[in-house]
Amino acid sequence: RYRNIEMEIDAALIEIKKLIVSGAKYSDIQLILTDMSEYEEQLRRSLSVEKIPYFLDEKRSLEYHPLICLIQAADNIAKDNYKKEDVFKLLKTGLLGLNSEDIDIYQNFIINRKIDRYKFLNMDFFEPDYEYLEANKRDEDAVKKEFAVAKFINENLLRITKSYVENSKHCKTAVEYVNNIINFIENEDIQAGLHNYEEWLHNIGDNEALEEHLQIWDKIMEIFEQIVSIAGDETIDKNTFYELVN
């Protein structure tokens, strides 16, 4: 029925939202998984982005933290030149300060318009062309809104990631790669996103996740220090570095 796990989880979250609107409480809802390992990563990310409070009866892993997911997605974007799956993963971390409903519109736009890789860098693909408007004349207002949302999201995506991607092409040593990532995650939009995530965890009373969140920056810096201590100023292959980070 569903083409992938992400679509299956998105459908489940829509049903949860319907239950809440109809008067149910989050504590009344159970989502039973046949295989936790298959669904857990995407489920955690989607629930966090949609700001749905949850409890998973499994030990948490820092690999599901939004900042870890963001770094991995950004690395893959730099390595594979804006593959759409990596772009979606980056946006769905919720750390770029973008509305989740707008991200959904953007994702559908990208899929429907078959935008991938280098096309993300060309804003002409985000302008409504005459033929497309003529073919959808009865829904012209909706189409224009869709293009406007997609353009806004893509402009922000490029504003936040383009320097990181461009700089990564010139990195030769582990020190250069690490400094590039640190400069990227110190972006004010990402820092604001981390602060909002912290506030959300506090508001829903998830003290365990909040404690992990407060430690995540130091843990990431520790990992980077380990990579630099191993490779330092030695020339390192780009793919080798991304494997170390991931």
Side-chain angles (χ1 to χ4, degrees), residues 205-224:
D206 193 338
N207 295 326
E208 184 181 352
L210 180 59
E211 184 63 28
E212 288 176 351
H213 172 71
L214 294 174
Q215 297 173 16
I216 192 70
W217 190 272
D218 289 340
K219 287 183 181 293
I220 289 173
M221 293 303 129
E222 184 180 339
I223 292 170
F224 288 159

Side-chain angles (χ1 to χ4, degrees), residues 3-229:
R3 284 183 291 178
N4 53 50
I5 288 175
E6 184 175 349
M7 290 180 66
E8 187 176 356
I9 289 174
D10 285 346
L13 297 194
I14 288 172
E15 293 303 314
I16 289 173
K17 290 177 182 178
K18 287 179 180 177
L19 289 171
I20 296 302
V21 170
S22 67
K25 298 178 181 178
Y26 286 116
S27 57
D28 297 330
I29 302 170
Q30 278 190 328
L31 192 60
I32 300 173
L33 306 177
T34 54
D35 185 351
M36 177 69 82
S37 62
E38 185 179 5
Y39 289 86
E40 184 174 3
E41 179 179 2
Q42 182 60 46
L43 183 59
R44 285 185 185 277
R45 191 179 307 126
S46 296
L47 288 168
S48 296
V49 168
E50 296 297 333
K51 293 184 168 52
I52 296 175
Y54 66 93
F55 170 76
L56 288 181
D57 192 16
E58 287 282 330
K59 183 172 175 60
R60 299 179 196 270
S61 172
L62 289 179
E63 67 182 292
Y64 304 124
H65 189 280
L67 185 56
I68 300 292
C69 295
L70 179 121
I71 291 172
Q72 291 173 338
D75 286 348
N76 288 333
I77 285 171
K79 184 176 68 173
D80 297 326
N81 195 25
Y82 288 92
K83 195 162 65 174
K84 66 177 181 292
E85 291 81 6
D86 300 322
V87 169
F88 295 160
K89 180 177 180 180
L90 183 86
L91 293 173
K92 293 210 168 191
T93 63
L95 296 182
L96 303 192
L98 300 170
N99 182 280
S100 62
E101 291 181 5
D102 287 349
I103 291 173
D104 289 340
I105 292 172
Y106 176 81
Q107 181 170 326
N108 290 330
F109 177 92
I110 295 303
I111 293 170
N112 293 336
R113 301 282 288 181
K114 295 180 173 57
I115 293 173
D116 202 8
R117 298 186 187 266
Y118 72 91
K119 290 183 178 179
F120 282 101
L121 302 174
N122 187 345
M123 292 305 300
D124 288 344
F125 288 105
F126 298 86
E127 295 289 350
D129 55 83
Y130 176 78
E131 290 183 4
Y132 190 83
L133 287 176
E134 281 295 305
N136 297 272
K137 206 161 190 178
R138 283 182 296 182
D139 301 313
E140 186 172 341
D141 289 341
V143 169
K144 286 183 176 179
K145 179 183 177 182
E146 180 186 22
F147 270 88
V149 169
K151 181 180 180 181
F152 173 77
I153 295 290
N154 205 69
E155 285 175 340
N156 279 277
L157 169 73
L158 296 182
R159 177 177 59 81
I160 294 170
T161 63
K162 201 169 182 181
S163 292
Y164 171 74
V165 172
E166 287 300 315
N167 291 338
S168 71
K169 296 175 183 177
H170 306 291
C171 293
K172 302 293 184 184
T173 68
V175 171
E176 290 172 344
Y177 280 114
V178 165
N179 286 337
N180 192 33
I181 293 178
I182 292 174
N183 288 336
F184 170 63
I185 62 179
E186 285 181 341
N187 174 281
E188 61 182 13
D189 295 273
I190 295 172
Q191 289 297 308
L194 287 169
H195 177 71
N196 291 337
Y197 181 67
E198 178 181 334
E199 284 192 336
W200 177 70
L201 292 175
H202 177 76
N203 290 336
I204 67 171
D206 193 338
N207 295 326
E208 184 181 352
L210 180 59
E211 184 63 28
E212 288 176 351
H213 172 71
L214 294 174
Q215 297 173 16
I216 192 70
W217 190 272
D218 289 340
K219 287 183 181 293
I220 289 173
M221 293 303 129
E222 184 180 339
I223 292 170
F224 288 159
E225 286 175 9
Q226 291 172 357
I227 292 174
V228 169
S229 68

